[in-house]
Amino acid sequence: MSDNIYRVVEIVGTSTTSIEDAISGAIGRAASTLEHLDWFEVMETRGHISDNKVAHFQVTLKVGFKLNT
């Protein structure tokens, strides 16, 4: 078994629908420019309130991906 080297980047996903959509959108966008995505960690969850209702979700993620050898 060979050793692997990973890089970790921090990204932020947003959605007006849900936290899950914010995460999925962020991972989907990262996958369009990065290869070998392997894991993510939710670092922070925030939201925006408008007219006493949740209007926007914002999720900060750390995403790990394997570097090419």
Side-chain angles (χ1 to χ4, degrees):
M1 182 175 168
S2 65
D3 293 334
N4 295 307
I5 305 297
Y6 292 86
R7 176 168 286 240
V8 177
V9 296
E10 190 169 277
I11 61 176
V12 178
T14 63
S15 172
T16 57
T17 309
S18 69
I19 292 168
E20 290 83 4
D21 281 353
I23 293 170
S24 294
I27 296 297
R29 178 62 178 90
S32 72
T33 59
L34 301 171
E35 295 180 348
H36 312 296
L37 295 180
D38 197 43
W39 57 269
F40 74 92
E41 178 180 358
V42 174
M43 301 305 296
E44 187 173 39
T45 304
R46 293 186 299 272
H48 176 250
I49 300 169
S50 180
D51 296 325
N52 296 321
K53 296 179 183 175
V54 175
H56 205 101
F57 300 91
Q58 186 177 38
V59 182
T60 303
L61 306 170
K62 282 189 179 179
V63 179
F65 59 96
K66 193 183 313 180
L67 296 177
N68 290 329
T69 53

